[in-house]
Amino acid sequence: MDLVRERPWKTTPLVQTTIGDSESVAAVVTRSIASVRGVPRDRLPPLYEAGDPDALGELFGEAGQGLVAFRYCDFGVVVTASGVVSVHSDVDPGD
């Protein structure tokens, strides 16, 4: 997983989505990226190429705090423990 060293959550997101009770984090991330790119979700590379989709869903547990930021399809993606997925313009993760 390419970690994002910049702080994309400090910029205005291209799209921001709240994860519903019956949705997985992975589904919201791919739906949000597909929306920004203007393509169907099945045209995106597998999310597991950017990180473990199951781990995203379990990352915060009951803590309700924190966030994880990573790159997917040349976008910065931020997932917060409060259940918000934000997609930001390309963020350079460094070398």
Side-chain angles (χ1 to χ4, degrees):
M1 176 185 291
D2 287 332
L3 297 179
V4 176
R5 294 183 186 164
E6 300 294 324
R7 294 184 179 187
W9 58 90
K10 302 266 185 188
T11 64
T12 302
L14 300 170
V15 66
Q16 190 168 19
T17 307
T18 301
I19 302 166
D21 291 338
S22 62
E23 295 181 292
S24 70
V25 175
V28 174
V29 168
T30 56
R31 181 168 40 99
S32 298
I33 294 289
S35 171
V36 170
R37 282 192 148 183
V39 299
R41 287 170 53 181
D42 63 359
R43 299 276 317 264
L44 298 176
L47 182 58
Y48 66 78
E49 290 180 1
D52 183 346
D54 294 330
L56 282 174
E58 298 172 12
L59 187 62
F60 303 107
E62 298 296 319
Q65 295 180 318
L67 60 84
V68 64
F70 59 96
R71 276 178 66 125
Y72 177 57
C73 293
D74 297 324
F75 292 94
V77 177
V78 178
V79 180
T80 68
S82 61
V84 176
V85 172
S86 301
V87 176
H88 300 263
S89 61
D90 188 17
V91 177
D92 182 9
D95 295 326

